[in-house]
Amino acid sequence: MGILLGGVLATGQAADIYVSPDGADSYSGQSGEPLASLAAAQQKARSYAGKEAVTVHLADGTYYLSETLVFTPDDSGSSRYPVVYKAQNRGKAVLSGGLRLELQWRPYRDGIFQAETPAGLEIDQLFVDGSNQRMARYPNYDANKKTDAYQGYAADAFSRERAANWSEPAGGYIHAMHRSRWGGYHYQITGKDAEGEVRYEGGWQNNRQMGMHASQRMVENIFEELDAPGEWFHDADAGTLYYMPEASTDLSKAVVEVVRLRHLVEIYGDLKQPVASMTILDPGNEIAGLTLETPETAKPVRWIQFKGIRFAGARRTFMDTREPLLQSDWAIYRGGAVHLRGTEHILIEDCDFVELGGNAVFVDAYNRNAVIRGNLFKDNGASDVNFVGSFAAVRSPRFGYLTMPHPLESVDREIGPKTEEYPADCLVEDNLMTRCGRVEKQSSGVNISMSSRITVRHNTIFDTPRAAINICDGTWGGHLIEWNDCFETVLETHDHGAFNSWGRDRYWHRAGPSGPKDKDDDGKPLISYWIEEAPYAPFWDAYQTTTLRHNRMQCDHGWDIDLDDGSTNYEIYNNLCLSGGLKTREGYKRIVRNNIVLREGYTCNVPYPKPTQDVFESNIMWGGGYSASKPRLWGGARNRNFMHNPSSEGAEPWVAGQAKTGDDADSLYGNAGFMDPSAGDFTVADDSPTLLVGFKNFPMEGFGVVSERLKALAEEPPLLLPIYVEPNTVTKVKHAKVLGAQFKALDTEAELTATGMDSLRGVLLLAVPKFSPMANYGFESDDVVLEVDGANVDSKSFIKVMNGLNPGHHRASVWRGQQLHRFEFETGK
């Protein structure tokens, strides 16, 4: 029989505390006298935390938080006696950072209603009957435009002509895609100048500063753009909310909620000093206020569990997304609806994270053995789960893509992290993640940076604007990515992967002749010098192998698996790539074996010189073969692969692959003998010729979530079998020449990503020999020539333009080293 201890029912070695929206904090907390708030339950739980198991039972209903619920080491449980916050009915207990408003609506005009709001109220998001409404915007939202940026964009979004209709736009927002569609930017409108041009500030949300896209732009929070059902505008100064309801909405009965808090739950261990902070001063990525002293965790929070809770009502944070994650393309807001910093053994299980304004879960700096399992993530503004370590743990860090490398003699050559302030040994398992990045387009289902040994297993991640799973850097590897189902990815952006990684770590230098920053005093590529002097340099940070296995990946505007700049120390096997193919860029030790790659084949672009320890073998490809701007540039072993053609009989040497690469002496071309490809079964028969190249069957099912609840909600990836199959013939490609240089049109996706261009245009210089006229004028190999004397050039006009230059002074614009470069040159008589 239970006894009452301090107003809490305790039985044996367990304490039970009950909470209900209908309770009162003056009650005992027994099942018949529930408390009203989690804060009150937290105070009672502290009396027993770590000494006996504590379960806080949350009854159905919404718990509105007036301030963030903060857990400290005083709330810690133990391995034997964890502290559990549990919904009595999964998903029915809602922890909200919002506020319910009681409003008196009256007609305004044109189907718009208005209501007075409390003084001082700020509204970031508005929910009516549980449905998220939209700030007044232009162009209007169109759910059918699934792959359009922001589901609707317009080049004139904030043009002077458009803004002429706006009486006072200050407080509005501009959302614009990156020039090359590598994520996006956000700006706050500050007003209009004397000429009527819109003034704004922001644009620090992307670590590859190249300016906003010319047409993919959208504005919101502009009163004059309130013209569609479901849109609203709040005049905070006048205390008036304007809203155009859907025809089916009864405003007299509607439940109206607004969002107040950024973070709902913070689990913070004690620190010896503040966490590192960073501010970007300007688009040039100059850094100020960076503190790299170690924010050592003196005492972590341990063994707290959250089960079955629905987290709702967290603010958008896009204007505070400004910390560059080393040299990756990402900037981050270091926080989320649930924010872990300085923890051990925290469990988040069977919860719902739906329509949160920013990041859902953020695992920050020192964290060990966090488990995020069995949850639903849907329609969140930024990323669903982030693991981000402290900059103080990184040796010789660099920030921003264009940052010059440290001199080799000054680089810290110790292997691995400098401190313990990073997430490690954490698990993300059996989660359904869909439609992340509703606001911030540089986002993903799972993002990992400055972390170690993160396992991402059996998750279904789909309908994402960018990657499903992203790894920002090689610090410090050891991750296991397995049994995930990732599809409908990179929908609103470009040049990315369902799985994407970078490795712009201590050793990394931009490959190719990208200008003086990448060459030593003798003109030799710096990467070659580094590897000669410090052969282990690529593994100083990526010292543990990251493994991708048994995943099903599909990407719409890029690669299924994209190992981008510098990605190092990967083993990739037994993956099914459905459409975008597989890519490795410059890096070391990428072992790619026994994968099935449909449609787009394998891209190896701008690789480093030998030896890279790369291996690409025993893979089956169906569709494209090898794709790269210079496919012979290779620093590893590529052989014993199989190109499938369903029209073939038997198998023969793959002469086309060998001719393209100089490798593949033992690769084969023919019919793989798939069992049932139209049903997604790419198992090969027992007598398949693929076995001759060492291919081994792997399971064609079991991808994605495993819990019955989430399996019922999950969707399946689209399956479009290849129509085109690369023929097994050798075609000699002839490139045009002018003034001693070889060139061609920039017209392939491989060339687009290799050069970092924003679109397929201009002329790609394949080879500019030393002392040739083109070299004397200042052109270099791998330049993309855009303009000569202010006129656009293409492959048809380039010879005529260059041969027709009059003696005298001329100007050229080229894309070099992933940035615009202008120079002048003289021609003689």
Side-chain angles (χ1 to χ4, degrees), residues 578-596:
L578 291 179
S579 67
L582 191 150
K583 169 187 150 192
T584 58
R585 197 173 157 117
E586 67 263 21
Y588 291 83
K589 197 183 176 186
R590 284 78 59 88
I591 312 300
V592 183
R593 287 193 178 103
N594 215 74
N595 303 280
I596 297 175

Short mmCIF file of all heavy atoms in Angstrom, two decimals, residues 578-596:
data_model
loop_
_atom_site.label_atom_id
_atom_site.label_comp_id
_atom_site.label_asym_id
_atom_site.label_seq_id
_atom_site.Cartn_x
_atom_site.Cartn_y
_atom_site.Cartn_z
N LEU A 578 18.19 5.80 -55.40
CA LEU A 578 17.08 5.65 -56.32
C LEU A 578 17.10 6.58 -57.52
O LEU A 578 16.49 6.27 -58.54
CB LEU A 578 15.75 5.85 -55.56
CG LEU A 578 15.38 4.77 -54.55
CD1 LEU A 578 14.06 5.11 -53.88
CD2 LEU A 578 15.30 3.41 -55.21
N SER A 579 17.75 7.75 -57.41
CA SER A 579 17.61 8.66 -58.56
C SER A 579 18.78 9.60 -58.78
O SER A 579 19.15 9.87 -59.92
CB SER A 579 16.33 9.49 -58.42
OG SER A 579 16.41 10.38 -57.33
N GLY A 580 19.37 10.13 -57.74
CA GLY A 580 20.35 11.19 -57.92
C GLY A 580 21.78 10.73 -58.06
O GLY A 580 22.67 11.53 -58.35
N GLY A 581 22.03 9.45 -57.81
CA GLY A 581 23.39 8.96 -57.91
C GLY A 581 24.21 9.25 -56.67
O GLY A 581 23.71 9.66 -55.63
N LEU A 582 25.50 9.02 -56.82
CA LEU A 582 26.44 9.12 -55.69
C LEU A 582 27.63 9.97 -56.12
O LEU A 582 28.11 9.84 -57.24
CB LEU A 582 26.88 7.73 -55.27
CG LEU A 582 27.65 7.54 -53.99
CD1 LEU A 582 27.35 6.16 -53.39
CD2 LEU A 582 29.14 7.69 -54.19
N LYS A 583 28.09 10.82 -55.22
CA LYS A 583 29.17 11.76 -55.57
C LYS A 583 30.23 11.80 -54.50
O LYS A 583 29.94 11.78 -53.31
CB LYS A 583 28.57 13.16 -55.76
CG LYS A 583 29.60 14.28 -55.87
CD LYS A 583 28.90 15.63 -55.87
CE LYS A 583 29.76 16.72 -55.27
NZ LYS A 583 29.00 17.95 -55.02
N THR A 584 31.49 11.85 -54.93
CA THR A 584 32.59 12.21 -54.05
C THR A 584 33.34 13.36 -54.69
O THR A 584 33.66 13.33 -55.87
CB THR A 584 33.56 11.03 -53.83
OG1 THR A 584 34.06 10.59 -55.09
CG2 THR A 584 32.86 9.87 -53.14
N ARG A 585 33.59 14.38 -53.90
CA ARG A 585 34.42 15.50 -54.35
C ARG A 585 35.78 15.33 -53.71
O ARG A 585 36.16 14.21 -53.34
CB ARG A 585 33.74 16.83 -53.99
CG ARG A 585 34.30 18.02 -54.76
CD ARG A 585 33.49 19.28 -54.50
NE ARG A 585 34.25 20.46 -54.76
CZ ARG A 585 33.95 21.35 -55.70
NH1 ARG A 585 32.91 21.18 -56.48
NH2 ARG A 585 34.69 22.43 -55.85
N GLU A 586 36.58 16.40 -53.57
CA GLU A 586 37.91 16.21 -53.01
C GLU A 586 37.82 15.68 -51.58
O GLU A 586 36.94 16.05 -50.82
CB GLU A 586 38.71 17.52 -53.04
CG GLU A 586 38.16 18.62 -52.13
CD GLU A 586 37.27 19.61 -52.85
OE1 GLU A 586 36.76 19.26 -53.92
OE2 GLU A 586 37.09 20.72 -52.34
N GLY A 587 38.73 14.78 -51.25
CA GLY A 587 38.75 14.17 -49.93
C GLY A 587 39.60 12.92 -49.96
O GLY A 587 40.24 12.59 -50.97
N TYR A 588 39.61 12.17 -48.85
CA TYR A 588 40.48 11.02 -48.70
C TYR A 588 39.73 9.85 -48.07
O TYR A 588 38.83 10.03 -47.25
CB TYR A 588 41.70 11.38 -47.82
CG TYR A 588 42.64 12.33 -48.51
CD1 TYR A 588 42.41 13.70 -48.49
CD2 TYR A 588 43.74 11.86 -49.23
CE1 TYR A 588 43.26 14.58 -49.15
CE2 TYR A 588 44.59 12.73 -49.88
CZ TYR A 588 44.35 14.08 -49.85
OH TYR A 588 45.19 14.94 -50.51
N LYS A 589 40.09 8.67 -48.52
CA LYS A 589 39.61 7.41 -47.95
C LYS A 589 38.09 7.35 -47.91
O LYS A 589 37.49 7.24 -46.85
CB LYS A 589 40.19 7.16 -46.55
CG LYS A 589 40.05 5.70 -46.11
CD LYS A 589 40.55 5.51 -44.70
CE LYS A 589 40.32 4.07 -44.25
NZ LYS A 589 40.65 3.86 -42.83
N ARG A 590 37.48 7.35 -49.11
CA ARG A 590 36.05 7.08 -49.25
C ARG A 590 35.92 5.69 -49.88
O ARG A 590 36.22 5.52 -51.07
CB ARG A 590 35.36 8.13 -50.12
CG ARG A 590 35.11 9.46 -49.40
CD ARG A 590 36.33 10.32 -49.29
NE ARG A 590 36.89 10.65 -50.59
CZ ARG A 590 36.50 11.71 -51.31
NH1 ARG A 590 35.57 12.53 -50.87
NH2 ARG A 590 37.08 11.97 -52.48
N ILE A 591 35.53 4.72 -49.10
CA ILE A 591 35.42 3.34 -49.57
C ILE A 591 33.96 3.10 -49.95
O ILE A 591 33.09 3.01 -49.10
CB ILE A 591 35.86 2.33 -48.49
CG1 ILE A 591 37.21 2.75 -47.88
CG2 ILE A 591 35.92 0.93 -49.07
CD1 ILE A 591 38.34 2.83 -48.87
N VAL A 592 33.69 3.02 -51.25
CA VAL A 592 32.33 2.91 -51.76
C VAL A 592 32.19 1.55 -52.43
O VAL A 592 32.71 1.33 -53.53
CB VAL A 592 32.01 4.04 -52.76
CG1 VAL A 592 30.57 3.96 -53.23
CG2 VAL A 592 32.29 5.41 -52.12
N ARG A 593 31.53 0.62 -51.77
CA ARG A 593 31.41 -0.75 -52.27
C ARG A 593 29.97 -1.26 -52.16
O ARG A 593 29.25 -0.94 -51.21
CB ARG A 593 32.29 -1.72 -51.46
CG ARG A 593 33.78 -1.63 -51.70
CD ARG A 593 34.48 -2.84 -51.09
NE ARG A 593 35.91 -2.84 -51.33
CZ ARG A 593 36.82 -2.51 -50.42
NH1 ARG A 593 36.44 -2.11 -49.23
NH2 ARG A 593 38.11 -2.54 -50.71
N ASN A 594 29.58 -2.08 -53.12
CA ASN A 594 28.37 -2.89 -53.02
C ASN A 594 27.09 -2.06 -52.85
O ASN A 594 26.22 -2.37 -52.07
CB ASN A 594 28.48 -3.89 -51.87
CG ASN A 594 27.80 -5.20 -52.19
OD1 ASN A 594 28.33 -5.98 -52.98
ND2 ASN A 594 26.64 -5.45 -51.62
N ASN A 595 27.00 -0.97 -53.60
CA ASN A 595 25.80 -0.16 -53.62
C ASN A 595 25.08 -0.33 -54.96
O ASN A 595 25.71 -0.69 -55.97
CB ASN A 595 26.16 1.32 -53.42
CG ASN A 595 26.91 1.55 -52.14
OD1 ASN A 595 26.34 1.63 -51.06
ND2 ASN A 595 28.24 1.65 -52.24
N ILE A 596 23.80 -0.06 -54.99
CA ILE A 596 23.03 -0.02 -56.23
C ILE A 596 22.68 1.43 -56.50
O ILE A 596 22.04 2.09 -55.66
CB ILE A 596 21.77 -0.89 -56.14
CG1 ILE A 596 22.17 -2.36 -55.94
CG2 ILE A 596 20.91 -0.73 -57.39
CD1 ILE A 596 20.99 -3.28 -55.72
#
